[in-house]
Amino acid sequence: MLNRLFPYRFELYLASQLLVLFGSLIIPNALYENFAVPLFMMLNLIFGLVLVSHNSYIKRVSFGLVILTFCLILFQFIDTKSALNNIKLGAYFMFYSIVTVEIIRQVWKAQIVSKNVILGLISGYISLGLLAFFLCLTIEIIYPGSFSGITNFEGTTNISEPLMYYAYITLMTIGYGDIIPQTGIAQKASIFIGLIGQFYLVVLTAIVVGKYINQSHSKNN
């Protein structure tokens, strides 16, 4: 099954990422947070498995993380203990680290720049944003108050949504200043996120563009 889906891995993974990020635009907020997000995350995890399915060792590790995460998501509907949430956060971080590295590796090694490679390039950038989000969320959980402005975000105490927003804004080096890192570790993490975002755009995008130019010259000759 995974092998059959592998040729469409980037399309499927990107589509599920967009559901996670922008599903709240079409789904009522309460329904989105309580039911849609866990379902979209499960879908994203499944398509992440498709991405790593050609590496047997990574696939086994990723499959174990997905099973663990599924169990924790299902249990969360019954009990919302913080210890379990922290375990789930760690599993998410490990899984998305593996998938992001695998996306970058596949895009880097691609000999022909096709639609699939372009979608992989986009998907990899979005994956970096998810990793940045989990990093910021971990810091805020371990060191509460590391980011100011998140508890007043649309009058809610849910820190996930504002930190998701902050992670992507920092990755894109926009920086509106409505959420501010207050502690040293939060500031260092923000610098790291901004640098990683720029390195990705400058290095990996340049490599793909260079391959595409060489590919076009080869066809013309």
Side-chain angles (χ1 to χ4, degrees):
M1 181 64 177
L2 293 180
N3 289 334
R4 290 181 181 179
L5 294 175
F6 189 78
Y8 311 102
R9 61 197 182 282
F10 292 131
E11 291 98 325
L12 295 171
Y13 191 66
L14 179 59
S16 62
Q17 285 178 316
L18 295 177
L19 284 175
V20 172
L21 286 178
F22 303 115
S24 59
L25 297 177
I26 56 176
I27 300 174
N29 194 51
L31 183 63
Y32 176 75
E33 289 185 3
N34 295 325
F35 298 102
V37 168
L39 291 176
F40 291 159
M41 290 299 291
M42 286 183 182
L43 195 63
N44 191 234
L45 292 171
I46 291 170
F47 292 144
L49 278 178
V50 176
L51 265 165
V52 302
S53 61
H54 276 203
N55 187 314
S56 58
Y57 175 73
I58 293 178
K59 182 174 68 174
R60 287 196 296 269
V61 173
S62 301
F63 186 75
L65 291 171
V66 168
I67 294 299
L68 173 62
T69 306
F70 276 12
C71 293
L72 292 173
I73 289 174
L74 292 174
F75 192 79
Q76 191 176 22
F77 287 109
I78 304 171
D79 194 343
T80 56
K81 293 180 180 179
S82 60
L84 293 179
N85 287 332
N86 292 341
I87 295 172
K88 184 179 70 174
L89 180 61
Y92 271 136
F93 191 85
M94 290 176 63
F95 179 82
Y96 283 109
S97 296
I98 292 171
V99 172
T100 302
V101 171
E102 183 63 18
I103 290 173
I104 292 173
R105 188 190 70 81
Q106 291 183 24
V107 171
W108 188 291
K109 289 192 172 183
Q111 299 299 317
I112 298 175
V113 179
S114 60
K115 178 192 72 174
N116 232 17
V117 172
I118 301 300
L119 292 177
L121 191 67
I122 298 169
S123 186
Y125 193 67
I126 296 176
S127 288
L128 284 178
L130 286 173
L131 281 177
F133 159 66
F134 289 124
L135 176 61
C136 292
L137 186 58
T138 301
I139 290 171
E140 181 61 29
I141 290 172
I142 296 175
Y143 305 103
S146 290
F147 298 91
S148 65
I150 58 175
T151 54
N152 295 323
F153 194 83
E154 293 186 351
T156 180
T157 56
N158 179 19
I159 62 174
S160 296
E161 198 70 23
L163 285 178
M164 177 79 78
Y165 157 81
Y166 175 79
Y168 277 97
I169 290 300
T170 306
L171 185 73
M172 296 182 287
T173 65
I174 295 175
Y176 289 117
D178 47 350
I179 298 175
I180 302 172
Q182 295 290 340
T183 61
I185 190 170
Q187 292 168 354
K188 293 294 191 301
S190 300
I191 293 171
F192 179 73
I193 292 168
L195 285 174
I196 289 297
Q198 291 305 296
F199 287 155
Y200 185 94
L201 292 176
V202 171
V203 177
L204 197 61
T205 304
I207 288 172
V208 172
V209 170
K211 287 182 178 180
Y212 181 76
I213 292 173
N214 291 335
Q215 181 179 310
S216 298
H217 286 168
S218 298
K219 287 182 179 180
N220 294 331
N221 294 333

